[in-house]
Amino acid sequence: MSARTVELFVNGRRVQAPVEGAEFLAEFLRERLGLAGTKVGCGIGACGLCTVWMDGQVVSSCLVPAVVAAGRHVWTVEGLTDLAEGRVTDAPPGLPSPQLVQAVQRAFVQCEGLQCGICTPGQVWAVCALLSEEPRPSEERVREFLAGNLCRCTGYQGILRAVRQASEEWAPSEDP
Amino acid sequence: MKTPEYVTPTTLREALELLSGAGGGEAVVWAGGTGLGPLLRRGLASPAVLLGLEKVGELGGVQPADGGLRLGATVRLRDLQRSPVVAARVPALADAAGRVGNVRVRSLATLGGHLCHADPAQDLPPVLVALGARVCLVSLRGTRVLPLEEFFVGPLQTVLSPEELLTEVWVPGESASRNTVYARFAPRSPEDYPTVGVAVSVRLDPDGVCQEARVAVGGAGPTVLRITAAEQALVGGVLAGQRIRDAAREVEAAVDPWDDSRGSAEYKRAMARVWTERVLQKLADEV
């Protein structure tokens, strides 16, 4: 068994670990780094449980082999606290601002944007990425962007309310 | 399996040299990986080398060209969806790109990867065939340019040889002056591959008489199917009533679907007819 070593940046820290076989970023995060907040569901990029931020966009970490992720900047749910509290130096381009992350976290709690919680790490990153790119998205855009981040509790209304509240708080409309 | 090596050449020449055997002929192109990734996860593919194209600048970009478009193979589907020049010249293509999978898939998947994966139910092949797109295939031995409908051979099979790369897609200028509509029927979930996808591109004269038509259907055969009998049924008259029904009947007769989780062959045949009628009605309503 020839192990290859992969080095990348996870939640702002340089990390290095051996990988074996066809190991993907989702398993690398969970099993090599112990970051079990990222879940693995379908394994084909359809369910959204393994959503992480990578180099400026959200991706399904089950679709990215660990060797392909080498050298990239990856952020998971475990990195949100450091991000929200402004403890990140040398943030890569496109990373959501601390104010945005705080607004999204608060909105998910206040709007009951989570029930069992298994989809929440992916939902939160998807919403941060969306609002970072488009601070005041239309309802249609929100639905297009979040399609494929499945909530098995079907708590979609709470999630949509959370997106609206976070958007309002972070980028208030000029004419209310 | 052994962990593959990920190699990222920076020039087309270097990429072609790696493909032609410098890497022992064991390199498989990684162009986003949303199709290949699940095959690796299941052990259905176990390449020694993944040849990443992301750093080959020549393969990227969307440019206006001769009234149409030149689309680089490594353009992400999300960038195709959001490109102002694509939206201006062929809005049906931007719209279709935005319907593939979900945003996370569109952020990784590339146009070239999408076409080379060659699943018969994909969204962009019918649209691009209706637009009259051509693909450019390059190896160290030369370049060939093919109409897209000649690129596909069967499910997950294309004419691409192991040492060739699909480098770009050309959408001809005349297609920008036609009206093109694509509709996908995905009854299980909007992110799923469609049961059938129908694209029609027509040129209508000021009286609404159809001068030219291209009809392509996905999901209803071993590859995307261009259906010339339906095209012939459309040309020479106004898109309405019996002419629409006749063309849709030609589609129903020409498709070659099979039973799977997205429907029985019989159902897909009927849906190919129904959705062809709807696409044609939409084109007629746009006049």
Side-chain angles (χ1 to χ4, degrees), chain A residues 39 49 143 173:
Chain A
K39 311 300 182 193
L49 293 194
R143 285 169 183 266
S173 53

Side-chain angles (χ1 to χ4, degrees), chain A residues 67-155:
Chain A
V67 292
V68 173
R72 297 183 208 257
H73 291 265
V74 173
W75 284 77
T76 69
V77 70
E78 289 89 350
L80 283 173
T81 305
D82 277 353
L83 204 48
E85 295 178 1
R87 286 200 294 267
V88 178
T89 51
D90 295 333
L95 199 66
S97 70
Q99 295 74 20
L100 172 57
V101 173
Q102 289 168 19
V104 172
Q105 288 178 312
R106 210 165 18 244
F108 266 81
V109 172
Q110 292 175 355
C111 300
E112 296 172 15
L114 64 161
Q115 292 180 35
C116 84
I118 195 169
C119 71
T120 311
Q123 301 280 7
V124 168
W125 265 111
V127 174
C128 285
L130 168 63
L131 296 182
S132 184
E133 193 174 294
E134 203 173 330
R136 297 196 56 80
S138 66
E139 180 78 15
E140 189 190 351
R141 280 282 296 132
V142 174
R143 285 169 183 266
E144 183 232 307
F145 201 95
L146 296 184
N149 274 97
L150 304 184
C151 170
R152 314 278 165 165
C153 309
T154 69

Side-chain angles (χ1 to χ4, degrees), chain A residues 2 4 19-22 24 27 40 43-48 51 57-60 62-63 65 67-68 72 133 141 144-145 147-149, chain B residues 1-6 30 32-34 36-38 40-42 48 50 54 76 78 81-82 98 101-108 191:
Chain A
S2 76
R4 240 172 241 289
V19 297
E20 278 178 19
F24 280 71
E27 285 81 7
V40 179
I44 57 168
C47 78
T51 302
Q57 58 195 4
V58 281
V59 300
S60 291
C62 74
L63 289 178
V67 292
V68 173
R72 297 183 208 257
E133 193 174 294
R141 280 282 296 132
E144 183 232 307
F145 201 95
N149 274 97
Chain B
M1 74 176 276
K2 278 172 66 177
T3 303
E5 183 184 1
Y6 187 58
W30 184 265
T34 57
L36 184 53
L40 294 185
R41 283 186 84 89
R42 292 176 196 168
L50 293 175
E54 64 199 276
R76 309 272 175 190
R78 186 138 198 259
Q81 174 189 4
R82 297 190 295 179
N102 55 54
V103 68
R104 303 180 311 277
V105 166
R106 294 191 289 275
S107 293
L108 292 174
E191 303 105 68

Side-chain angles (χ1 to χ4, degrees), chain B residues 126-195:
Chain B
V127 183
L128 287 167
V129 167
L131 291 168
R134 286 168 296 143
V135 287
C136 188
L137 312 182
V138 178
S139 72
L140 289 176
R141 285 177 299 174
T143 296
R144 50 185 181 144
V145 176
L146 297 176
L148 182 60
E149 56 266 43
E150 293 173 20
F151 176 69
F152 300 107
V153 172
L156 309 188
Q157 291 175 302
T158 69
V159 300
L160 205 65
S161 73
E163 67 271 22
E164 265 180 324
L165 270 182
L166 190 162
T167 55
E168 53 197 24
V169 176
W170 292 83
V171 178
E174 61 264 26
S175 67
S177 65
R178 291 197 301 261
N179 295 336
T180 304
V181 167
Y182 173 66
R184 69 200 305 278
F185 174 51
R188 299 196 308 181
S189 158
E191 303 105 68
D192 194 10
Y193 282 115
T195 293

